[in-house]
């Protein structure tokens, strides 16, 4: 290693000061940490650290407020969009976002998600879809794929008995109050760059006051899936992406073409 | 010819050994150390430092944000 390169003027990447030095409790390779960092980097780049309020979920990311150096409030399970609505209406000049897993957003919080979007609240919703309930031991979620093994569908999700997975992101996109809806991932350098742009756009939309922005991040729960992080990301690409394809679903209040039919 | 050279600094006590950075590196610079940190994880290190271009790919995929990257144009 050429130590002469290591000097302040040559620094091209460092941890954003919008994150503190606490060691995150996430399993090695979990996408939660990456998404936390992207949100923090966008807040730093937009210079809105003191104007941002985050709403934490129940789930593995319940402790997000221990890592981001911004004002945050914990919501009851699934109720983050309702709490974000209150915060934004009381303080319309603030940037307000929720951070939620698929159990939080698409199971217990379905009503809050749909109604906040339908009301067109000027908030950003960051939705981490790992296909299961990570925190409580990998149970089946509404997002669990057909045939996917979880601790409560040990032989794979049987659609006849357990019903269909819910594409809540596509559902939200069809609501008139949703302004920007996209699906991203954070498993490769290029996907991380795209996801960051989407997160930035979701924050910037709050200044236009045109409605809710939702950024889904398809992610891994390698512990729950019982795989190594590298295997889990590969499994995600092979199995989650065909059902949850990354890409924009609604831009500037208009469904993108493929969603129209 | 000018060549872009890079160096990564891994916070080895905070690395969790997930190996995602190894796969993100286009020039196969990184491998896991034979040693472990205080938490018992093998940590990422530069096995092939001369190949590093300072592209930052490893740093931006690291879930724990423990990689710092330096880059310089060498003549
Ligand atoms: C009212 C209530 N019901 C149930 C629970 C138990 N519980 C905690 S986390 C969780 C699911 C979290 O899953 P998800 O939102 O997918 O997040 P992940 O942990 O996968 O990131 C559940 C059901 C709870 N804490 N509160
Ligand atoms: S249990 Fe799953 S979602 Fe939770 S930290 Fe571990 S890998 Fe991430
Ligand atoms: S991606 Fe980060 S945590 Fe994972 S092995 Fe590399 S440096 Fe360590």
């Amino acid at each position: 290693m050429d130590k002469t390169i290591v000097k302040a003027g040559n620094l091209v990447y460092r941890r954003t000061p919008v994150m503190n030095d606490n060691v995150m409790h996430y399993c090695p390779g979990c996408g939660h940490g990456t998404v936390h960092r992207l949100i923090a980097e966008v807040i730093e780049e937009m210079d809105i650290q003191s104007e941002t309020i985050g709403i934490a979920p129940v789930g593995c990311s319940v402790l997000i407020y221990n890592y981001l150096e911004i004002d945050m409030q914990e919501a009851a399970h699934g109720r983050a969009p309702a709490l974000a609505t209150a915060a934004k209406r009381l303080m319309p000049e603030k940037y307000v976002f929720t951070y939620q897993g698929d159990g939080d957003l698409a199971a217990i919080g379905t009503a809050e998600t749909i109604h906040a979007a339908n009301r067109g609240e000027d908030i950003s919703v960051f939705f981490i879809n790992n296909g299961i309930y990570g925190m409580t031991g990998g149970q089946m979620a509404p997002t669990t794929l057909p045939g996917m093994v979880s601790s409560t569908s040990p032989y794979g999700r049987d659609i006849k008995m357990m019903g269909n997975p819910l594409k809540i992101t596509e559902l939200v996109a069809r609501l008139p109050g949703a302004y920007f809806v996209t699906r991203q991932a954070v498993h490769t350098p290029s996907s991380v760059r795209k996801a960051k742009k989407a997160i930035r756009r979701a924050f910037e939309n709050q200044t236009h006051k045109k409605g809710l922005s939702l950024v889904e991040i398809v992610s891994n729960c390698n512990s729950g899936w019982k795989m190594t992080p590298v295997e889990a990301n590969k499994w995600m690409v092979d199995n989650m992406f065909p059902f949850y394809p990354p890409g924009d679903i609604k831009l500037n209040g208009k469904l993108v073409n493929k969603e129209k039919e | 010819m000018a060549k872009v050279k890079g160096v990564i600094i891994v916070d080895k006590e905070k690395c969790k050994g997930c190996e995602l950075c190894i796969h993100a590196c286009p020039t196969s610079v990184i491998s896991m150390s034979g040693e472990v940190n205080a938490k018992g994880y093998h940590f990422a290190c530069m096995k092939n430092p001369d190949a590093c271009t300072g592209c930052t790919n490893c740093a931006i995929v690291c879930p724990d944000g423990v990689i710092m990257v330096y880059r310089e144009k060498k003549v």
Side-chain angles (χ1 to χ4, degrees):
Chain A
M1 165 164 72
D2 185 349
K3 286 233 167 87
T4 62
I5 299 174
V6 183
K7 53 186 177 211
N10 290 341
L11 184 65
V12 286
Y13 193 90
R14 55 98 176 91
R15 194 179 166 96
T16 166
V18 177
M19 288 198 88
N20 57 34
D21 285 336
N22 293 342
V23 175
M24 291 188 279
H25 68 289
Y26 301 115
C27 304
C30 173
H32 274 308
T34 315
V35 183
H36 286 15
R37 180 165 47 79
L38 295 185
I39 292 172
E41 287 177 1
V42 167
I43 291 172
E44 181 192 6
E45 285 163 21
M46 290 176 69
D47 195 18
I48 55 171
Q49 188 174 9
S50 56
E51 295 146 62
T52 304
I53 299 175
I55 311 293
V58 168
C60 280
S61 50
V62 61
L63 297 176
I64 182 173
Y65 48 76
N66 281 345
Y67 312 126
L68 298 190
E69 288 291 307
I70 55 169
D71 289 330
M72 294 203 77
Q73 176 62 48
E74 170 62 38
H77 204 357
R79 314 303 180 224
L83 189 49
T85 298
K88 184 73 181 184
R89 288 187 177 205
L90 287 166
M91 291 166 277
E93 72 289 356
K94 300 278 186 193
Y95 291 84
V96 179
F97 73 90
T98 72
Y99 186 102
Q100 303 177 259
D102 47 311
D104 191 82
L105 180 142
I108 192 166
T110 311
E112 282 73 13
T113 306
I114 287 178
H115 288 295
N118 201 41
R119 291 192 307 267
E121 302 295 341
D122 286 312
I123 58 172
S124 309
V125 173
F126 302 122
F127 164 36
I128 314 315
N129 178 7
N130 56 23
I132 53 171
Y133 293 177
M135 184 195 217
T136 44
Q139 292 86 352
M140 188 175 70
T143 47
T144 303
L145 299 172
M148 184 172 170
V149 172
S150 73
S151 61
T152 47
S153 58
Y155 304 110
R157 182 177 189 152
D158 172 2
I159 295 305
K160 273 208 181 108
M161 185 165 79
M162 301 161 184
N164 297 291
L166 177 64
K167 294 190 186 186
I168 195 158
T169 303
E170 274 82 353
L171 200 145
V172 164
R174 287 183 160 76
L175 302 173
Y179 185 65
F180 171 49
V181 180
T182 186
R183 182 180 286 119
Q184 303 289 331
V186 292
H187 62 305
T188 59
S190 63
S191 65
V192 169
R193 291 189 178 97
K194 278 194 209 140
K196 185 170 166 182
K197 282 197 186 124
I199 290 170
R200 173 144 189 160
R201 190 175 185 139
F203 273 110
E204 285 172 349
N205 282 343
Q206 294 197 29
T207 55
H208 308 322
K209 308 224 176 292
K210 291 215 168 125
L212 181 137
S213 298
L214 184 147
V215 181
E216 173 180 341
I217 313 275
V218 182
S219 188
N220 74 62
C221 173
N222 57 77
S223 290
W225 298 357
K226 313 261 182 274
M227 296 174 196
T228 67
V230 173
E231 285 164 3
N233 280 347
K234 177 157 194 324
W235 192 90
M236 177 182 81
V237 172
D238 294 344
N239 297 277
M240 299 279 280
F241 283 10
F243 195 84
Y244 298 115
D248 293 330
I249 299 168
K250 195 176 199 182
L251 285 174
N252 302 327
K254 289 195 180 67
L255 289 170
V256 301
N257 287 333
K258 64 176 188 303
E259 272 301 311
K260 275 192 182 139
E261 0 32 275
Chain B
M1 204 186 77
K3 215 175 158 217
V4 183
K5 300 283 279 171
V7 168
I8 64 166
I9 309 281
V10 178
D11 184 341
K12 65 178 192 187
E13 287 306 325
K14 285 193 181 148
C15 171
K16 292 180 184 163
C18 72
E19 303 191 2
L20 296 186
C21 53
I22 295 182
H23 295 265
C25 175
T27 51
S28 307
V29 169
I30 306 170
S31 75
M32 303 314 284
S33 162
E35 298 164 50
V36 293
N37 62 20
K39 290 205 160 155
Y41 293 121
H42 293 284
F43 48 88
C45 61
M46 292 180 95
K47 183 182 142 203
N48 185 12
D50 290 342
C52 180
T53 59
C55 72
T56 75
N57 276 5
C58 57
I60 69 170
V61 298
C62 174
D64 289 86
V66 303
I67 304 180
M68 282 206 300
V69 186
Y70 293 85
R71 187 196 301 145
E72 188 173 286
K73 225 180 211 167
K74 288 272 178 189
V75 221

